[in-house]
Amino acid sequence: MGFTVVSRSGSPTRRENQKRRVCFRLLLRLLRRGFVVLSAESDPKMPNYSIRGINVEFPFEAYQSQIIYMDRVIESLQNKCHALLESPTGTGKTLCLLCATLAWRKSLGSFSTRKDRKNSAIPWSDSDEPLSQSGGGGGAFPTIVYASRTHSQLRQVIKELKRSSYRPKMVVLGSREQLCVNEEVNSLRGKALTNACQYLCKKRGKRQCNHFNRLPDYLKHNPHIGDEPVDIEDLVNIGKDSGPCPYYITRELHKDVDIIFAPYNYLISNGYRKFLKVNWTNSVLIFDEAHNLESLCADSASFDLPSVLLSACISEAQECVQLAAARRDSLNDVSINPENFAILKGLLLKLQELISKVPIPKRDEGFTKPGPYIYEMLKTLNITHETAPKLIGTVEEAAVFLEEEKQRTATNAGSKLEIIADMLKLIFRENGSNHADVYRVHVQELEQNSTDVMKGKVSRTLSWWCFSPGITMLDIAQKGVGSIILTSGTLSPMDSLAQELKLDFPIRLENPHVISSNQLWAGVVSTGPSGYVLNSSYRNRDVPEYKQELGNAIVNFSRVVPEGLLIFFPSYYLMDSCITFWKNGCYRNSMTVWERICKLKKPVIEPKDSSLFPAAMRDFSEKLQDRATSGVVFFAVCRGKVSEGLDFADGAGRAVVITGLPYARVTDPRVKLKREFLDEQSQLADVKLPRSTLLSGSMWYSQEAARAVNQAIGRVIRHRHDYGAIIFCDDRFEQPSQQSKISLWIRPNVKCYSRYGEVISDLARFFRTERSNFPARLVTEQENNIGNASCSQKITLIGRYHILVCLPYYLPSCFFPCDNLWVAFGCRGMI
């Protein structure tokens, strides 16, 4: 081991020398125990940047790409226009977004302070009742709503907020399932939990929620809540320690904060959005990780009603009839009329019969009609805009009645009738019929089990699919929103995204990465070791020779790629098919392909069942930390959980292999209808627009696959000091049309190989060079922090110095500051 001393100023003082001796003694003690020490000096005075007249405080010396990103954010906010901002994962875009947005907001006036709560009305009713649309954002200043797909992603955003100098009044919104601390009911789920919460908060009888009752007093004596960043876990701990209800803390706090953190559904779902007490005028909406936003918007405006679910709803309606009749007879309770439930049951039976009689000449194609046909179907059942509100009320009454009975009998199963209510609300929402033309009604006949065949039942699904996600975004924009900012590592191509969302995005950015070009290896491997073409298309994917060739290629990649290797397949079917083939087939009468892979790296397979995914990630982490192995290979699927938002920094992901293009199944009815819809729209579009700029069905189909590939690619190169390889194992990536869809920061580095031997030699040379160069680099605090979430860290404070102790497997270099001195250690033997 060697070290280099880099002096940053004049001669050290006596006190500084004493500090150095203390630090070096601690350093040597840690190194003897097999740790690598990585430290960064915490400068109390953050760098300041003047961007478009706004003073932005940033925790680190910003890269040029970060300054450009913040410039585009501020331009969007100042001009009250929308923006599409793409910046590769690992470039610090979340921190840039927060600092730029909050600096702009601070320039308008001071952040909010907690209002006097003596006269504050606590929301005694359930959160499902609409709140006033006044207020929010502390009055005259615009409210910022920061949305991401999941709470785990929001947790990372709030960590970034803690690292900034900005302290706006904030709140993070969550569901009762995440926030309830009442042990009497928090084991319930869905509507069952909502109804139980409502019941206990009404202050009727002996059963009450003490956590809810403590809320007014807590808020009165803790006006500072939200002044410092708090996450879901922090709120839950407050509820457990101090007693107030975390859920209603957020319901009360969100009325007068500067920034709200929430999952997507609080914005894209009309049902959630209308309950937010936010002044939407001039507000700022930020959608982080927005690469799937259009599909999420379409899904939130669509529904599927399978016959098995409809049958369950009929059974629940019948159960309500019996329970209401029994209660009326035994308790003389006439508050609930069983006849209403009998009418509901009759309507659901007629709907079931109507669906079963729909003519389906070809089962593969199903039955399709224009969107407005849904109103014709329901009109035959006397369900119209005039009668729907009363029917929805009956359905909700039945669901609540059933949940109360299940709670009384300690049954936790949720009511299926809620889905019927949600379906009717979607169809008959305000101005809903105005958008019916962008929908399609579809009835699909499904595979029947033997029991259904014997009973003569037909298994069908009624669907109402939205094919224009822009109706959701237009609905939001029409509330007077100032700016909508969409950001992700993979937004391109932006023209088609803007067309899908029906908004004008005058500000756009495709940012480069912060790494140097020599830190990335990217190549197209068109043939395997024996020269057989690698192509996972439908006609070739089940050919034994292809599977054998792909397996042999992965064996060789496992040999030359150090540490973590990620393999992405187009589908679960292809992944399972290949792994099964590799386990069963022998190679030259010796070991199977699977045995050869396992000899080189420990395997982990992404489960299709999402409930098993945490266990798979723990398995991956444990195998990665096992020094007795030479690494791990993670078999995963494009669009799966591994490809979405997970951090495989440094040794956790040294290379990613893309085994093919993840096209959606072309025979899928929804995919087929989406392509037809876009083709129809492009034919009807304004003739003034160039035909080449319009999004056709085939363009959308290929772009969806490309976005999935780019998202999977983003698992490697997670920070400035990282390095890795991207291997495209499909000859279709040689085509210029496919390469043009690869993320801009990767495109110039892609090299096409005609011979497999050159691939292996170049890869081996790349990793050999990077492994020798990596420890010698002196990194900044920002480089150490960006994207380094996968490291197992222990933090100790010594004066102003933050010492991060990390397993040497993750970080093969260490840096130790002593006031105005840096000491850099390169641990070559530990890689």
Side-chain angles (χ1 to χ4, degrees):
M1 178 186 298
F3 65 88
T4 306
V5 179
V6 184
S7 179
R8 294 195 293 177
S9 63
S11 301
T13 65
R14 188 176 184 180
R15 186 162 173 255
E16 287 170 344
N17 278 326
Q18 289 176 341
K19 282 186 180 181
R20 288 180 187 170
R21 284 194 290 271
V22 172
C23 289
F24 277 120
R25 281 198 294 270
L26 175 60
L27 171 67
L28 292 173
R29 193 179 307 148
L30 290 167
L31 290 174
R32 289 191 191 107
R33 295 182 181 181
F35 285 90
V36 173
V37 180
L38 168 67
S39 68
E41 183 178 353
S42 177
D43 190 348
K45 187 176 180 180
M46 292 187 177
N48 282 274
Y49 298 92
S50 179
I51 303 175
R52 294 182 177 269
I54 303 294
N55 184 45
V56 181
E57 294 184 6
F58 200 66
F60 317 105
E61 294 293 333
Y63 305 130
Q64 184 61 30
S65 62
Q66 293 173 328
I67 293 173
I68 293 171
Y69 185 95
M70 291 189 283
D71 177 85
R72 297 296 187 275
V73 172
I74 292 173
E75 182 183 3
S76 168
L77 299 174
Q78 289 179 332
N79 296 333
K80 294 183 180 179
C81 57
H82 311 319
L84 294 175
L85 307 178
E86 179 180 281
S87 192
T89 302
T91 55
K93 63 177 178 294
T94 299
L95 192 58
C96 292
L97 189 56
L98 286 170
C99 290
T101 305
L102 293 173
W104 167 82
R105 166 60 186 84
K106 191 175 181 181
S107 72
L108 302 179
S110 300
F111 291 132
S112 302
T113 55
R114 200 67 182 150
K115 297 175 181 177
D116 186 3
R117 293 191 166 276
K118 290 181 180 179
N119 299 318
S120 176
I122 301 301
W124 298 106
S125 61
D126 155 74
S127 66
D128 295 336
E129 293 181 7
L131 296 170
S132 167
Q133 292 301 304
S134 62
F141 301 120
T143 305
I144 302 163
V145 183
Y146 194 115
S148 196
R149 289 189 310 111
T150 65
H151 270 290
S152 62
Q153 291 174 341
L154 287 173
R155 191 179 303 119
Q156 294 300 321
V157 174
I158 293 170
K159 284 183 180 178
E160 295 294 283
L161 177 61
K162 290 178 180 179
R163 292 166 61 190
S164 77
S165 65
Y166 298 101
R167 290 297 178 264
K169 177 71 74 173
M170 60 80 67
V171 69
V172 56
L173 300 181
S175 66
R176 284 182 173 88
E177 293 180 7
Q178 294 163 317
L179 291 166
C180 180
V181 291
N182 188 322
E183 295 181 356
E184 186 179 352
V185 297
N186 64 6
S187 61
L188 301 174
R189 289 294 176 266
K191 194 71 174 178
L193 176 57
T194 300
N195 293 337
C197 174
Q198 289 176 341
Y199 180 80
L200 294 178
C201 291
K202 287 177 180 176
K203 287 191 172 183
R204 294 175 184 171
K206 296 181 179 180
R207 294 182 64 197
Q208 296 181 16
C209 179
N210 292 325
H211 297 284
F212 180 73
N213 294 339
R214 292 178 187 137
L215 181 65
D217 190 58
Y218 177 83
L219 292 176
K220 179 180 178 181
H221 292 95
N222 294 274
H224 61 275
I225 184 71
D227 290 349
E228 288 292 322
V230 289
D231 198 0
I232 291 287
E233 288 78 7
D234 301 321
L235 291 169
V236 170
N237 290 332
I238 289 172
K240 289 179 178 179
D241 295 340
S242 306
C245 172
Y247 176 77
Y248 279 107
I249 286 178
T250 65
R251 292 295 298 167
E252 184 69 6
L253 273 181
H254 96 278
K255 300 175 183 178
D256 54 355
V257 294
D258 300 298
I259 184 167
I260 298 171
F261 296 94
Y264 276 173
N265 56 336
Y266 279 85
L267 290 179
I268 64 177
S269 169
N270 187 56
Y272 279 94
R273 189 170 61 246
K274 68 182 181 181
F275 300 123
L276 286 178
K277 189 175 181 181
V278 171
N279 183 357
W280 297 104
T281 304
N282 295 325
S283 60
V284 177
L285 307 187
I286 297 171
F287 291 89
D288 199 359
E289 299 297 333
H291 48 275
N292 288 332
L293 183 61
E294 69 265 46
S295 62
L296 292 171
C297 286
D299 289 343
S300 71
S302 306
F303 73 79
D304 293 295
L305 181 64
S307 58
V308 63
L309 181 59
L310 183 54
S311 297
C313 291
I314 293 169
S315 298
E316 288 187 352
Q318 174 61 27
E319 188 177 353
C320 287
V321 173
Q322 295 170 346
L323 289 171
R327 181 178 292 189
R328 183 181 58 183
D329 295 340
S330 61
L331 302 176
N332 200 26
D333 184 355
V334 296
S335 61
I336 298 177
N337 188 353
E339 292 180 4
N340 291 337
F341 301 144
I343 293 171
L344 171 62
K345 177 191 171 185
L347 284 172
L348 294 177
L349 283 169
K350 289 180 179 178
L351 177 60
Q352 185 182 53
E353 182 182 6
L354 185 63
I355 295 170
S356 67
K357 289 184 176 179
V358 166
I360 301 180
K362 295 181 180 180
R363 196 176 74 177
D364 291 342
E365 296 181 2
F367 170 87
T368 304
K369 286 285 186 179
Y373 182 74
I374 194 73
Y375 298 103
E376 295 180 30
M377 282 185 70
L378 296 179
K379 190 174 182 179
T380 63
L381 306 176
N382 197 30
I383 303 174
T384 64
H385 281 89
E386 290 73 30
T387 62
K390 184 175 181 180
L391 177 59
I392 292 169
T394 301
V395 174
E396 290 180 334
E397 182 186 13
V400 170
F401 179 53
L402 206 56
E403 293 297 348
E404 288 178 353
E405 183 63 22
K406 288 178 179 179
Q407 184 184 352
R408 189 180 65 81
T409 57
T411 305
N412 291 348
S415 172
K416 303 293 188 299
L417 281 169
E418 303 168 29
I419 298 168
I420 299 295
D422 293 339
M423 181 188 85
L424 293 172
K425 287 177 183 177
L426 177 63
I427 296 171
F428 295 103
R429 68 187 185 277
E430 186 180 0
N431 300 322
S433 57
N434 295 342
H435 301 300
D437 288 339
V438 301
Y439 281 80
R440 295 293 181 269
V441 176
H442 186 76
V443 179
Q444 181 72 21
E445 192 163 313
L446 307 174
E447 293 284 345
Q448 292 177 270
N449 57 43
S450 56
T451 305
D452 287 341
V453 172
M454 291 178 63
K455 292 181 178 180
K457 289 185 178 180
V458 177
S459 181
R460 291 183 171 185
T461 297
L462 170 66
S463 302
W464 200 45
W465 290 326
C466 174
F467 291 121
S468 179
I471 63 172
T472 298
M473 299 304 291
L474 279 173
D475 189 35
I476 295 172
Q478 288 169 357
K479 292 181 177 292
V481 171
S483 300
I484 298 175
I485 299 175
L486 273 58
T487 187
S488 177
T490 52
L491 289 180
S492 299
M494 293 185 179
D495 285 341
S496 61
L497 178 62
Q499 283 184 49
E500 281 275 81
L501 296 179
K502 306 298 182 188
L503 293 181
D504 182 27
F505 292 93
I507 297 174
R508 302 183 186 187
L509 174 67
E510 289 184 74
N511 233 353
H513 214 297
V514 294
I515 63 168
S516 302
S517 59
N518 63 330
Q519 291 170 249
L520 171 67
W521 187 99
V524 178
V525 185
S526 57
T527 60
S530 63
Y532 190 89
V533 174
L534 295 174
N535 184 301
S536 69
S537 62
Y538 180 78
R539 67 179 182 277
N540 198 52
R541 66 183 186 183
D542 289 321
V543 176
E545 289 81 2
Y546 162 72
K547 295 178 183 178
Q548 183 70 40
E549 195 78 345
L550 178 63
N552 290 336
I554 291 173
V555 169
N556 286 319
F557 295 146
S558 300
R559 187 175 289 114
V560 298
V561 175
E563 305 167 298
L565 173 63
L566 310 177
I567 313 289
F568 285 100
F569 291 84
S571 65
Y572 283 102
Y573 167 82
L574 187 55
M575 180 178 73
D576 295 340
S577 175
C578 285
I579 291 175
T580 301
F581 179 85
W582 296 336
K583 286 181 177 179
N584 296 331
C586 288
Y587 177 73
R588 294 178 183 173
N589 299 319
S590 57
M591 292 191 295
T592 64
V593 170
W594 187 253
E595 289 170 340
R596 292 161 64 212
I597 292 173
C598 295
K599 187 177 180 180
L600 295 165
K601 292 187 183 295
K602 297 294 182 183
V604 179
I605 302 172
E606 179 180 6
K608 196 169 185 178
D609 185 347
S610 59
S611 65
L612 302 176
F613 185 72
M617 286 305 300
R618 285 193 298 270
D619 186 31
F620 175 80
S621 179
E622 290 168 4
K623 288 176 178 177
L624 192 66
Q625 295 179 48
D626 186 356
R627 299 297 303 280
T629 68
S630 58
V632 187
V633 55
F634 206 143
F635 294 96
V637 174
C638 291
R639 298 191 185 91
K641 283 188 171 290
V642 174
S643 69
E644 291 283 337
L646 290 182
D647 189 354
F648 292 89
D650 301 305
R654 281 292 173 222
V656 58
V657 177
I658 304 295
T659 64
L661 288 161
Y663 288 116
R665 187 165 56 89
V666 72
T667 56
D668 183 298
R670 194 166 185 175
V671 172
K672 186 178 178 181
L673 290 173
K674 172 72 173 184
R675 294 180 67 170
E676 291 176 359
F677 173 81
L678 289 173
D679 287 337
E680 291 172 9
Q681 292 295 303
S682 63
Q683 294 298 322
L684 297 172
D686 192 334
V687 293
K688 295 179 182 178
L689 292 172
R691 186 67 61 188
S692 60
T693 64
L694 297 174
L695 182 63
S696 66
S698 59
M699 287 171 59
W700 168 82
Y701 186 66
S702 61
Q703 288 173 10
E704 286 295 295
R707 281 207 185 102
V709 167
N710 287 329
Q711 193 63 23
I713 288 171
R715 298 316 94 208
V716 295
I717 315 291
R718 304 294 293 187
H719 57 90
R720 170 67 182 87
H721 210 51
D722 205 353
Y723 66 91
I726 299 168
I727 308 167
F728 299 97
C729 281
D730 193 306
D731 69 340
R732 289 174 291 178
F733 284 106
E734 290 182 329
Q735 301 168 9
S737 61
Q738 292 297 340
Q739 290 195 24
S740 67
K741 298 183 181 75
I742 296 172
S743 294
L744 186 63
W745 67 275
I746 299 170
R747 222 176 292 162
N749 298 284
V750 177
K751 179 181 177 181
C752 295
Y753 289 85
S754 58
R755 291 188 296 177
Y756 183 80
E758 293 179 3
V759 175
I760 297 302
S761 61
D762 278 10
L763 264 177
R765 188 182 307 111
F766 168 78
F767 284 113
R768 188 164 54 248
T769 302
E770 288 305 303
R771 291 171 77 179
S772 61
N773 289 341
F774 188 75
R777 292 200 184 105
L778 184 66
V779 299
T780 66
E781 182 181 1
Q782 178 173 192
E783 291 165 350
N784 291 331
N785 279 282
I786 291 177
N788 228 1
S790 66
C791 295
S792 167
Q793 300 176 348
K794 175 184 175 183
I795 300 177
T796 309
L797 298 180
I798 299 182
R800 289 165 53 204
Y801 310 113
H802 298 253
I803 301 176
L804 283 72
V805 183
C806 305
L807 290 174
Y809 190 87
Y810 286 97
L811 293 171
S813 60
C814 62
F815 305 91
F816 206 87
C818 293
D819 247 343
N820 54 3
L821 186 74
W822 276 94
V823 184
F825 295 80
C827 311
R828 298 169 189 265
M830 291 187 177
I831 306 173

